[in-house]
Amino acid sequence: MVPDRTQVFIAGGGPFGLMLANELGRRGIGVVLVDQKPGTTENVQANATQARTMEHYRRLGFAEEIRALGMPADFPTDIAYFTRFATHELARFSLPSAREARQLVSTLSGSWSAAELPHRCNQKFIEPVLRRHAAALPGVSVRYGVRMRGFRETQDGIEAEIEPGVTVHARYLVGADGPRSLVRQQLGLRYTGETGVVRDFAGGRMVAVYARIPDYYRAIPHAPAWMNVNFNRERRCFMPAVDGKEEFAFHTQLKPHEEEERVTDASAVAMVQQAIGAPLRVQVLARAAWTAGHSLVAEAFGRGRVFLGGDAAHLFTPTGGLGYNTAIEDAVNLGWKLAAVLKSQAAPQLLESYEAERRKLALRNTAYAKGFADSLGIEPPPEIEDATPAGAEARRRAGEHFADHGRREFNIPGITFGGRYDGSPAIVPDGSNPPPDTPNAYQPSACPGGRPPHLWLPDGRSLYDLFGFDWTLLCFRETAARGRENLRILRLDLPEARDLYGADFALIRPDQIVAWRGNADAAAIAALDRLSGR
Ligand SMILES: Cc1cc2nc3c(=O)[nH]c(=O)nc-3n(C[C@H](O)[C@H](O)[C@H](O)COP(=O)(O)OP(=O)(O)OC[C@H]3O[C@@H](n4cnc5c(N)ncnc54)[C@H](O)[C@@H]3O)c2cc1C
């Protein structure tokens, strides 16, 4: 039975809905989440968990669990480009395995000064972890196999209809229902932006094949990679490793003469073999079709007591691996705000900052993803596979392009750590200038509106592990400020940290964003009260 009364009703149990249920449930908020599918996704979709998402999983206490998922711990997470997988390797961008990432992170500074590095693992392994943690929280009810049919707004809440005649009453409704969002449609909100962009690759109708290729690593004459991308005129694809043994998520773009309805298991196998360039045994585990070439953002992220997030609010081309990660950060942003309002710790106006902050980030991130798709989608020259000097020259040039492209698309600390909420009503500016927004470099800065600079403490702990689950007042000198139910006072006697933050005090929001900084603790408390609308 689905409870008929709750505080927040979430329609959709993909990454956004599940993460939101965790954020709310951890703060003691009652949640009912329904999803029409029988369980979490069986499709192989997102493959890249960015470092910032990993930091949020760490905050919730399950980053280690996630890092253990997917490929074996010592499997390289290289990105490699080939004409076909069995023939010429064109370029390779080498990245650490999960085990190396765990060891490396505490030695890095500058752009990669972080509590966590990225993790390469398919979404289908991650969703069950998010689900299990959400469902274990008191007050959170997670129900798969239940569809929301529509909703009504009432005077002081919403009513969601889940079966004919079965209604759940809640204070707020969140549309976590993906690209075809019923919630967005019922609100009459449109996606704006670009759709239907045509490219030689990463722009058009795509066929996804979840494939088992048992002989792949024995038969391919190249070092294993996590992301395998090919570049020829007959069959282009990207094909991340799923388990590092024999399973792959193959994604190809249909040619203009190929019809999606006519794709069969047999023709899907032929497509995978064409991309490999060798007739290896291929077993089709699942198939799906999707479209690449969207950069879409909803005109609004909700209305009244109804909010949208994740794919319901923005739709990406998967280059850069930003769709799922943007969805997770939406949930992180909305979660603490809804909880604060429901617990009367903040005025409802705080919720207006959700759209102000996240819509801007969605526009930014979809634009970055589009740029990567344009660079990946270039057309291969006719001679790219020829055994001639012209062919060799074409491969050399393609190698140069992809060596550069790989670094630009897959080394993105600037995108993952550098997102900012300047101008938001939930930030108090201090007159300083934020660092420039550049995709491949991140400049730590405590200028209010961005991620707090990270630091490994002399005892080996991450600064982030000392932050409170709600607000934190970070103090680099004595303070008279007292903690509250939702505020931790964190005294740190570390000149190096004071230098990094550029002030005696910094107020850190529950989503680990600097809200305010300055040299007077009384002003910090006043800022917290002002931001909370109290
Ligand atoms: C091929 C492919 C590759 C991708 N690769 C990447 C990548 O590498 N990195 C990345 O970051 N992103 C990637 N993405 C995008 C990523 O998968 C999505 O951005 C992510 O799943 C969005 O999460 P979500 O929770 O917003 O939506 P979804 O995952 O779509 O979840 C929405 C849920 O709502 C449910 N639902 C819908 N309507 C209702 C209803 N009326 N009632 C109840 N339930 C409902 C659906 O069943 C679904 O489970 C990829 C996507 C695809 C298709």
Side-chain angles (χ1 to χ4, degrees):
M1 284 293 286
V2 178
D4 64 0
R5 212 157 277 278
T6 190
Q7 289 176 291
V8 181
F9 181 87
I10 303 176
F16 170 67
L18 290 169
M19 187 69 172
L20 183 63
N22 275 287
E23 294 286 355
L24 291 168
R26 281 287 300 271
R27 295 182 168 88
I29 301 299
V31 173
V32 170
L33 178 154
V34 301
D35 192 295
Q36 64 194 9
K37 296 195 305 325
T40 53
T41 188
E42 285 300 324
N43 288 330
V44 278
Q45 298 182 354
N47 297 284
T49 298
Q50 303 296 354
R52 182 64 165 156
T53 301
M54 288 300 289
E55 288 182 340
H56 288 305
Y57 291 162
R58 181 184 182 106
R59 182 173 50 78
L60 291 170
F62 47 75
E64 274 303 298
E65 214 177 316
I66 298 279
R67 203 174 285 284
L69 299 172
M71 302 176 297
D74 55 358
F75 198 89
T77 59
D78 296 4
I79 295 96
Y81 300 86
F82 308 86
T83 48
R84 302 188 196 227
F85 304 136
T87 53
H88 302 281
E89 180 169 321
L90 299 170
R92 180 176 289 257
F93 180 46
S94 291
L95 286 171
S97 67
R99 182 175 296 141
E100 288 163 341
R102 208 179 271 129
Q103 289 156 359
L104 206 60
V105 64
S106 58
T107 68
L108 301 176
S109 58
S111 272
W112 281 110
S113 170
E116 295 284 339
L117 293 181
H119 181 55
R120 313 300 184 182
C121 165
N122 199 270
Q123 182 175 339
K124 85 187 198 74
F125 300 125
I126 292 174
E127 286 190 12
V129 175
L130 297 179
R131 175 184 180 174
R132 185 160 35 77
H133 283 280
L137 292 165
V140 176
S141 170
V142 175
R143 295 285 192 278
Y144 283 79
V146 177
R147 179 168 184 272
M148 187 191 75
R149 302 162 61 95
F151 64 89
R152 280 180 299 281
E153 262 203 76
T154 61
Q155 192 102 55
D156 56 355
I158 63 95
E159 294 173 353
E161 191 193 344
I162 52 171
E163 302 289 344
V166 178
T167 299
V168 181
H169 302 261
R171 299 279 304 284
Y172 292 95
L173 165 69
V174 182
D177 48 350
R180 290 187 195 86
S181 175
L182 177 75
V183 176
R184 191 188 65 244
Q185 289 176 38
Q186 204 185 312
L187 290 176
L189 295 174
R190 288 166 311 152
Y191 275 143
T192 60
E194 211 179 55
T195 186
V197 175
V198 177
R199 303 182 183 92
D200 190 64
F201 189 56
R205 285 304 285 163
M206 304 284 294
V207 166
V209 184
Y210 180 19
R212 179 174 288 142
I213 316 173
D215 302 321
Y216 186 85
Y217 293 113
R218 277 188 295 279
I220 296 303
H222 306 288
W226 155 66
M227 178 61 82
N228 306 281
V229 184
N230 77 3
F231 189 61
N232 64 69
R233 290 175 77 90
E234 187 188 37
R235 176 64 53 209
R236 293 189 65 179
C237 78
F238 68 92
M239 189 178 86
V242 171
D243 66 353
K245 296 179 185 118
E246 56 177 11
E247 290 185 10
F248 298 87
F250 170 88
H251 298 276
T252 190
Q253 183 166 323
L254 294 177
K255 297 283 179 190
H257 65 273
E258 291 175 322
E259 285 173 39
E260 177 181 322
E261 299 73 33
R262 299 200 168 199
V263 177
T264 60
D265 276 2
S267 65
V269 167
M271 288 177 186
V272 179
Q273 290 171 332
Q274 277 178 328
I276 298 173
L280 301 188
R281 266 187 307 147
V282 177
Q283 182 189 353
V284 176
L285 300 173
R287 269 195 294 125
W290 58 284
T291 302
H294 300 301
S295 308
L296 293 172
V297 177
E299 54 189 328
F301 277 25
R303 185 178 299 143
R305 291 178 170 272
V306 184
F307 294 90
L308 297 172
D311 279 12
H314 39 69
L315 205 51
F316 284 70
T317 290
T319 32
L322 298 174
Y324 138 70
N325 292 281
T326 304
I328 293 291
E329 286 196 63
D330 291 345
V332 171
N333 189 293
L334 183 58
W336 71 267
K337 292 175 181 174
L338 271 177
V341 171
L342 283 164
K343 289 161 111 175
S344 302
Q345 291 168 344
Q349 287 86 312
L350 175 65
L351 295 170
E352 291 166 14
S353 67
Y354 170 64
E355 175 178 306
E357 295 182 349
R358 295 307 300 167
R359 190 164 184 278
K360 207 176 94 182
L361 261 285
L363 291 167
R364 165 194 189 256
N365 292 357
T366 48
Y368 276 134
K370 175 179 150 54
F372 297 140
D374 290 341
S375 161
L376 178 67
I378 59 163
E379 203 177 322
E383 68 277 18
I384 188 78
E385 296 190 271
D386 291 355
T388 59
E393 175 57 16
R395 290 189 288 279
R396 191 193 61 73
R397 269 189 274 118
E400 261 176 27
H401 173 77
F402 286 115
D404 175 59
H405 172 91
R407 266 192 300 278
R408 283 190 294 111
E409 186 184 342
F410 291 95
N411 181 35
I412 50 172
I415 297 180
T416 189
F417 295 141
R420 296 190 53 86
Y421 300 147
D422 299 306
S424 158
I427 297 294
V428 183
D430 69 352
S432 62
N433 286 326
D437 185 4
T438 48
N440 304 113
Y442 156 76
Q443 196 178 311
S445 163
C447 169
R451 170 181 175 267
H454 179 266
L455 192 80
W456 291 99
L457 302 175
D459 64 6
R461 284 182 300 172
S462 158
L463 170 62
Y464 288 3
D465 293 347
L466 306 189
F467 287 168
F469 193 69
D470 282 310
W471 292 80
T472 306
L473 179 60
L474 190 51
C475 312
F476 301 111
R477 68 171 165 82
E478 283 308 319
T479 177
R482 293 281 157 264
R484 302 177 179 176
E485 183 201 355
N486 64 341
L487 174 69
R488 175 179 292 179
I489 307 291
L490 177 59
R491 177 79 215 278
L492 210 59
D493 229 345
L494 208 59
E496 177 194 346
R498 163 71 179 74
D499 289 350
L500 197 55
Y501 276 76
D504 289 340
F505 301 97
L507 185 65
I508 314 294
R509 300 194 330 190
D511 51 355
Q512 297 189 344
I513 291 288
V514 180
W516 169 95
R517 78 172 160 178
N519 293 321
D521 46 5
I525 300 301
L528 174 56
D529 287 340
R530 185 145 44 96
L531 292 175
S532 306
R534 296 205 306 190

